[in-house]
């Protein structure tokens, strides 16, 4: 997920150790010990004075990324399991890749990678559209050079 799932980046650069946080006041633990695999991702690209473009980002993922699993561990640690097919043999099968928090109203999921940066944008705030036992669906947007891209991932 080179979008989250920017989070599903398959290239581990170096081992970094994360400090587990104590319970964050006002945060939900609903994602603790849950595992998710990307099943769909679309983006709407908005440029001034141009028709919006809707694209299916999911089809652009490499086969080795499609079986990756994001794990929301306790103490707000975000981990990634490379699944059955690794993109690079040297990648660890399972690695802590960042930290996460889910707001107490379960409407905002904030993700920060180990280097503190996603897409050059810093921590990413995701709007949770659906969260239940079988679905985690979220949306985020970014603006680069006056082009707004809104991505929805399930």
């Amino acid at each position: 997920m080179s979008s989250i799932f920017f989070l599903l980046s398959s290239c581990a650069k170096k081992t970094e150790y994360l400090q587990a946080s104590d319970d964050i006041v006002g945060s939900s633990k609903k994602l603790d010990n849950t595992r998710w695999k990307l099943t769909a991702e679309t983006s709407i690209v908005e440029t001034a004075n141009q028709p919006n473009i809707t694209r299916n980002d999911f089809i652009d993922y490499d086969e080795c990324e499609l079986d990756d699993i994001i794990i929301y561990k306790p103490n707000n640690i975000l981990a990634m399991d490379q699944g059955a097919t690794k993109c690079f043999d040297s990648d660890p099968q399972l690695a802590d890749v960042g930290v996460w928090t889910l707001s107490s109203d379960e409407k905002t999921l904030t993700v920060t990678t180990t280097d503190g940066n996603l897409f050059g944008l810093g921590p990413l705030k995701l709007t949770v559209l659906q969260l239940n036992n079988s679905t985690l669906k979220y949306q985020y947007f970014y603006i680069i050079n006056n082009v707004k891209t809104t991505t929805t991932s399930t």
Side-chain angles (χ1 to χ4, degrees), residues 68-86:
D68 291 354
I69 299 168
I70 293 295
I71 304 166
Y72 294 86
K73 295 168 60 174
N75 297 318
N76 301 92
I77 299 296
L78 186 70
M80 185 170 63
D81 183 326
Q82 296 289 331
T85 308
K86 290 184 182 182

Side-chain angles (χ1 to χ4, degrees), residues 9-13 80 82 86-94:
S9 165
S10 295
C11 304
K13 294 180 183 162
M80 185 170 63
Q82 296 289 331
K86 290 184 182 182
C87 293
F88 301 97
D89 289 338
S90 61
D91 284 348
Q93 184 64 44
L94 179 65

Side-chain angles (χ1 to χ4, degrees), residues 127-144:
T127 301
V128 177
L129 303 174
Q130 183 177 358
L131 176 56
N132 58 41
N133 290 336
S134 62
T135 303
L136 170 58
K137 184 176 184 176
Y138 56 85
Q139 187 175 73
Y140 63 95
F141 75 91
Y142 56 92
I143 300 171
I144 298 175

Side-chain angles (χ1 to χ4, degrees), residues 38-55:
L38 187 68
T39 59
E41 186 173 272
T42 58
S43 291
I44 298 172
V45 181
E46 301 173 54
T47 305
N49 303 317
Q50 303 273 336
N52 291 348
I53 298 169
T54 300
R55 65 177 190 229

Side-chain angles (χ1 to χ4, degrees), residues 78-136:
L78 186 70
M80 185 170 63
D81 183 326
Q82 296 289 331
T85 308
K86 290 184 182 182
C87 293
F88 301 97
D89 289 338
S90 61
D91 284 348
Q93 184 64 44
L94 179 65
D96 292 344
V97 295
V99 294
W100 65 274
T101 57
L102 180 63
S103 63
S104 59
D105 63 4
E106 299 176 354
K107 293 182 180 180
T108 303
L109 174 61
T110 303
V111 176
T112 306
T113 59
T114 52
D115 65 2
N117 201 357
L118 293 169
F119 306 126
L121 302 173
L124 191 60
K125 289 195 181 288
L126 310 168
T127 301
V128 177
L129 303 174
Q130 183 177 358
L131 176 56
N132 58 41
N133 290 336
S134 62
T135 303
L136 170 58

